Amino acid sequence: MKKHILVVDDEETLCEALRFNLEAEGYDVTTSLSAEEVLTLDLSQFDLVLLDIMMGDISGTQLAKIMKNNPNTARIPIIFCTAKDSEDDMVDGLDLGADDYITKPYTLRNVIARVKSVLRRVNDGQLPDLPTGDKPITFEGLSIIPSRKLCIVDGVEVKMPRKEFEILCMLLSDPGRIFSRDELIHAIWPGEVIVVDRVIDVNITRIRHKIGNYAKYIKSRSGYGYGFIL
């Protein structure tokens, strides 16, 4: 059965170019010029969404949040295609649960390759090798509960986006071990999603700001990576 892809971008010419090339690759394609229009569709019919960020009243990031908060659409992979190309923009997009992030201008060949990669990864059922369960992973007043996505710092819950939480979960689950950036990338962003090393560094900086005095235990080893070192 053909995979059904939704292309969302307020540039009609770009939508049509993507439609033509993706259909040539054997996909069924639906296009939409706004997030408002997308919300009138039955999103559960789609296998993947290519999503621009900067659109009308409802942005691409807002639409992604709506999809990820809806159990019927939460598992649909999203690839952001956007002119917002800073590292913080990329981190924010991936933190929302996006499966890939492509910056404009891009080649159609690149987009098609990313689509194939994400769909292949979803079909293969590849999942991050992360701690699970209700048993807290604790060091002094720092505690995380993997199954509930909770981070507690000295008795106070600290809100963390998904990727920050997963990185901290990995580091705290094996104290003393230095994880390379590649190991973290492959665990947190599995498959062939293209994530630059710097994204790990940005997330680590954000985690340190949120965990107070425990930030000193997240150590970097130049040329290697990061670990929770006692």
Side-chain angles (χ1 to χ4, degrees):
M1 181 182 294
K2 288 184 177 181
K3 297 295 184 182
H4 195 176
I5 296 173
L6 174 63
V7 176
V8 188
D9 197 300
D10 57 4
E11 295 183 45
E12 185 173 2
T13 302
L14 184 54
C15 279
E16 290 307 309
L18 286 168
R19 181 210 293 268
F20 177 83
N21 284 273
L22 288 166
E23 287 180 342
E25 293 291 326
Y27 300 110
D28 283 332
V29 181
T30 296
T31 62
S32 178
L33 300 179
S34 71
E36 289 84 350
E37 181 183 356
V38 168
L39 293 174
T40 69
L41 305 175
D42 176 11
L43 291 175
S44 63
Q45 68 179 296
F46 298 106
D47 297 291
L48 182 144
V49 178
L50 280 168
L51 181 58
D52 186 24
I53 289 182
M54 295 182 291
M55 295 188 288
D57 291 336
I58 302 177
S59 69
T61 53
Q62 290 173 308
L63 177 58
K65 288 178 182 178
I66 292 170
M67 291 181 62
K68 293 302 179 182
N69 287 330
N70 184 338
N72 295 323
T73 56
R75 292 188 174 276
I76 299 173
I78 295 173
I79 299 177
F80 280 128
C81 299
T82 177
K84 300 184 73 174
D85 60 357
S86 75
E87 288 172 349
D88 279 348
D89 291 329
M90 182 182 294
V91 170
D92 290 341
L94 294 170
D95 280 344
L96 284 172
D99 294 79
D100 207 343
Y101 191 103
I102 308 173
T103 58
K104 297 178 182 179
Y106 49 72
T107 65
L108 292 170
R109 181 180 178 184
N110 183 27
V111 173
I112 291 168
R114 302 288 189 94
V115 167
K116 289 180 177 178
S117 173
V118 169
L119 287 174
R120 182 167 57 248
R121 172 158 48 88
V122 170
N123 291 338
D124 289 344
Q126 296 176 11
L127 295 172
D129 185 16
L130 295 166
T132 59
D134 293 322
K135 184 178 180 180
I137 303 170
T138 301
F139 171 73
E140 297 181 357
L142 174 62
S143 182
I144 55 178
I145 306 174
S147 65
R148 297 173 61 192
K149 311 305 181 199
L150 282 178
C151 176
I152 309 296
V153 178
D154 294 331
V156 178
E157 180 182 350
V158 174
K159 299 292 186 182
M160 281 191 180
R162 173 182 164 192
K163 301 305 183 183
E164 291 177 23
F165 180 86
E166 291 177 350
I167 290 172
L168 179 59
C169 192
M170 280 194 70
L171 298 183
L172 193 58
S173 68
D174 197 354
R177 175 180 173 183
I178 297 295
F179 291 89
S180 71
R181 288 176 177 83
D182 282 344
E183 285 180 302
L184 292 168
I185 287 171
H186 290 314
I188 308 303
W189 291 272
E192 300 177 32
V193 58
I194 298 176
V195 179
V196 295
D197 287 353
R198 179 63 179 156
V199 170
I200 297 294
D201 301 334
V202 172
N203 273 286
I204 290 290
T205 298
R206 292 180 175 185
I207 292 168
R208 283 171 168 159
H209 286 158
K210 293 177 180 179
I211 62 174
N213 291 331
Y214 304 104
K216 64 187 178 185
Y217 295 106
I218 297 181
K219 303 288 181 64
S220 62
R221 293 290 183 265
S222 181
Y224 293 95
Y226 293 95
F228 196 87
I229 310 298
L230 307 183

